[in-house]
Amino acid sequence: MDVYSFYKSPDFDPTIPVFLLLKGQPAIDSGGVLRQVFGDLFYAMASNEGIKIVFNGDKNSKVPAFSNELVVNGLFEVLGKMIAHSLIQSGPGFPYLSPTIYWYLATGDLQIAIQKATCSDVDDIELAEYIRNVTEAPAEERNVIAFESGFIRLLSEAGESRILTVSRNLIYYIVKKKAILDQFRKGLSILC
């Protein structure tokens, strides 16, 4: 049984430890093998190895990629269960997420998470560039940016028709990913 199916199964019980059987490799698991397997699995997921793009961003500041398929399949709920089950068994956590994402997962408070948001949390390169430009531009240059076709398109995608402040752009971007983050939190809730 593969790892995804194991954690997605309705029969999954977080109180039962994982039993590892490594084929072709001698190993006695006194905790190190389990930590290695979870660590390798989490690294592969954060690096999008062998799977669809699940995360975007820098090495240690990952943000979930948004797609309807990921929401429908519940991948982030399963990942949350994996992380929680790893922690329950003294395994590693998932040290790849951006601080903004960690804050939301830990508190469930969108307002606190937004206060931690920076441009590095935005994986849309064009949007991140506009946020930087608006942040750094004097008032008269903001008026020029407001009429650029790319900026108008991004505003339209966000459902806005007025000039956005940097915080409103970041709010839109984080709220867009909220369904995925809520699934992630649900998976992690087995810790409670």
Side-chain angles (χ1 to χ4, degrees):
M1 179 185 285
D2 72 305
V3 175
Y4 182 79
S5 297
F6 175 76
Y7 285 101
K8 186 146 178 120
S9 169
D11 299 327
F12 168 69
D13 183 349
T15 62
I16 299 174
V18 173
F19 174 75
L20 295 174
L21 178 62
L22 302 175
K23 295 179 182 178
Q25 296 182 9
I28 297 174
D29 188 13
S30 59
V33 175
L34 180 80
R35 284 190 296 278
Q36 183 67 45
V37 168
F38 274 118
D40 290 349
L41 174 66
F42 295 157
Y43 178 80
M45 289 194 79
S47 303
N48 300 315
E49 291 178 7
I51 56 176
K52 293 182 180 223
I53 294 178
V54 177
F55 289 100
N56 294 311
D58 297 332
K59 180 181 173 186
N60 293 318
S61 190
K62 298 287 186 180
V63 294
F66 180 83
S67 81
N68 291 331
E69 181 181 357
L70 293 175
V71 173
V72 171
N73 291 337
L75 179 82
F76 283 95
E77 181 178 349
V78 173
L79 178 57
K81 286 181 184 178
M82 289 179 198
I83 295 166
H85 203 218
S86 173
L87 292 171
I88 290 168
Q89 298 176 82
S90 301
F94 196 83
Y96 306 105
L97 297 173
S98 81
T100 304
I101 302 302
Y102 277 119
W103 275 99
Y104 183 74
L105 294 176
T107 66
D109 189 329
L110 191 59
Q111 295 307 314
I112 291 174
I114 289 169
Q115 291 172 8
K116 308 286 182 189
T118 67
C119 283
S120 65
D121 294 318
V122 179
D123 59 1
D124 181 320
I125 295 167
E126 186 180 15
L127 177 58
E129 188 62 32
Y130 276 118
I131 292 171
R132 276 188 209 91
N133 290 345
V134 168
T135 304
E136 298 167 1
E140 61 275 0
E141 286 182 32
R142 286 188 196 134
N143 291 333
V144 173
I145 294 170
F147 293 101
E148 291 180 12
S149 61
F151 188 68
I152 292 169
R153 182 182 52 76
L154 288 170
L155 287 176
S156 173
E157 288 174 11
E160 293 287 342
S161 59
R162 61 181 186 265
I163 301 294
L164 296 180
T165 63
V166 173
S167 64
R168 287 187 59 82
N169 272 306
L170 291 171
I171 289 168
Y172 153 72
Y173 195 75
I174 292 167
V175 169
K176 179 180 173 184
K177 297 182 184 266
K178 190 171 180 311
I180 285 176
L181 297 177
D182 287 341
Q183 284 185 359
F184 213 155
R185 290 190 82 232
K186 182 178 179 185
L188 289 167
S189 72
I190 66 169
L191 288 171
C192 303

